[in-house]
């Protein structure tokens, strides 16, 4: 495992630096590292690290979600409430509809299998989007109109919506029919996640303040460990309650960090942001290299040109949906274009659930996995490159910071 970790950090950072030098996003170098060194090409990673790959990727995602929650401002979120809610489900619905219409024609699957495929591809990637929105908030690009906050909130809710739909469609594929409770779980999961995280965040803020007043001030490094511990616990709660009630652990984590930031002194929040920013330097490499390692490059050959066409048709439908979400807002055309670009990348969810239909023995398993792999290889670099190259041209920097 130690050799694998060395390869992840050293090769991942080296290729990330090369990509940065040639004006490409660092994520591309990390994804290439995972693909090439992973089990489907050179197979240089130890089986022990691959066995906990999903957990390591989740831990890395937790770190950036905490950083995002600490950076959010509730007033900014209120400004962008309606479009953020629409972006949580409308782009995914449009993309799933595109697959239901065109996948049977292009890939010769039935409508239920097309819906499963659409649900796998319908989620935007928090691993690609969230770090860039945090960067925009740090640099104050688009923050005056709440653009990164809106995208961040929408992308976080989007995953909950899509995964619940995926579960429902897989049940239909297995012959279990439509379960009404599957769809009721969407708002239940969101509301309970936000409430549970808010309670933990309020409690932590009170505890840190209480210790300070009693002259038992807790070091910031210890606070980071405590916050991480409760974050992992929130993810565990989601697992414990599975089958009883739906709770979104990732939303709970971001809600916890948001409330903690609101209830803590500005200096404390700023220090915690800095600490989690440093942790993200290592977590980012682990996350994207292991996402790359989960990509089975062999399936790209099975998908063929029709799958690529289908992916781009889905993206067109997604772009139309994001544009519709922006109607009635004060965003200009350039800002709306950036929102569309930010909703292109796919990686995390597709790597996590793309192989589930195959593992369940569904007839569409191979083709779903093939299209999921292609979507990662096409949209993750495309979205990352476009976001990195355009944000300074399409978004305005908050004049108070210039």
């Amino acid at each position: 495992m130690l050799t694998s970790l060395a390869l992840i950090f050293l090769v991942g950072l080296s290729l990330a630096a090369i990509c940065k030098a040639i004006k490409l996003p660092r994520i591309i170098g990390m994804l290439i590292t995972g693909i090439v060194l992973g089990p489907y090409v050179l197979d240089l990673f130890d089986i022990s690290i691959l066995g906990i790959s999903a957990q390591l990727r989740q831990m890395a995602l937790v770190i950036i979600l905490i950083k995002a929650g600490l950076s959010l401002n509730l007033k900014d979120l209120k400004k962008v409430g309606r479009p953020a809610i629409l972006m949580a489900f409308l782009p995914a619905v449009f993309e799933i509809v595109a697959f239901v219409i065109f996948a049977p024609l292009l890939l010769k699957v039935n409508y239920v299998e097309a819906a499963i495929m659409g649900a796998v591809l319908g989620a935007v990637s928090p691993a690609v989007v969230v770090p860039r929105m945090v960067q925009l908030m740090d640099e104050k690009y688009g923050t005056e109109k709440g653009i990164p906050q809106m995208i961040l909130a929408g992308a976080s809710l989007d995953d909950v919506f899509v995964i619940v739909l995926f579960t429902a469609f897989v049940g239909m594929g297995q012959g279990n029919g439509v379960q009404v409770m599957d769809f009721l779980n969407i708002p239940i999961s969101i509301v309970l996640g936000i409430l549970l995280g808010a309670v933990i965040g309020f409690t932590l803020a009170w505890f840190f303040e209480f210790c300070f007043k009693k002259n038992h001030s807790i070091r910031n490094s210890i606070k980071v460990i405590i916050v991480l511990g409760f974050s992992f616990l929130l993810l565990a709660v989601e697992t414990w309650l599975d089958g009883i009630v739906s709770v979104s652990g990732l939303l709970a984590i971001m809600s916890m960090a948001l409330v903690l930031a609101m209830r803590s002194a500005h200096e404390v929040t700023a220090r915690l942001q800095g600490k989690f920013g440093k942790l993200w330097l290592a977590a980012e490499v682990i996350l994207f290299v292991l996402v790359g390692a989960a990509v089975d490059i062999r399936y790209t050959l099975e998908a063929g040109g029709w799958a690529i066409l289908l992916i781009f048709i889905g993206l067109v439908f997604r772009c139309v949906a994001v544009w519709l979400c922006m109607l009635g807002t004060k965003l200009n055309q350039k800002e709306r274009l950036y929102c569309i670009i930010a909703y292109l990348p796919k990686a995390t969810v597709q790597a996590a659930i793309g192989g589930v239909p195959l593992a369940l023995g569904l007839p569409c398993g191979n083709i779903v996995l093939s299209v999921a792999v292609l979507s990662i290889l096409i949209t993750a670099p495309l979205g990352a490159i476009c976001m990195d190259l355009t944000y300074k041209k399409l978004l305005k920097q908050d004049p108070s910071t210039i």
Side-chain angles (χ1 to χ4, degrees), residues 324-336:
L324 290 174
C325 293
M326 299 298 108
L327 292 178
T329 66
K330 295 180 180 179
L331 273 59
N332 60 39
Q333 295 303 319
K334 288 184 177 181
E335 291 163 341
R336 294 182 188 196

Side-chain angles (χ1 to χ4, degrees), residues 202-219:
F202 185 88
T203 304
L204 284 177
W206 172 84
F207 175 70
F208 293 153
E209 185 179 357
F210 175 80
C211 291
F212 178 77
K213 288 180 179 178
K214 295 294 183 180
N215 295 320
H216 297 297
S217 184
I218 302 173
R219 294 177 57 185

Side-chain angles (χ1 to χ4, degrees), residues 283-305:
E284 178 186 32
V285 185
I286 293 173
L287 175 60
F288 289 117
V289 171
L290 291 179
V291 165
V295 172
D296 190 341
I297 200 76
R298 298 170 299 176
Y299 285 105
T300 58
L301 301 176
E302 293 185 19

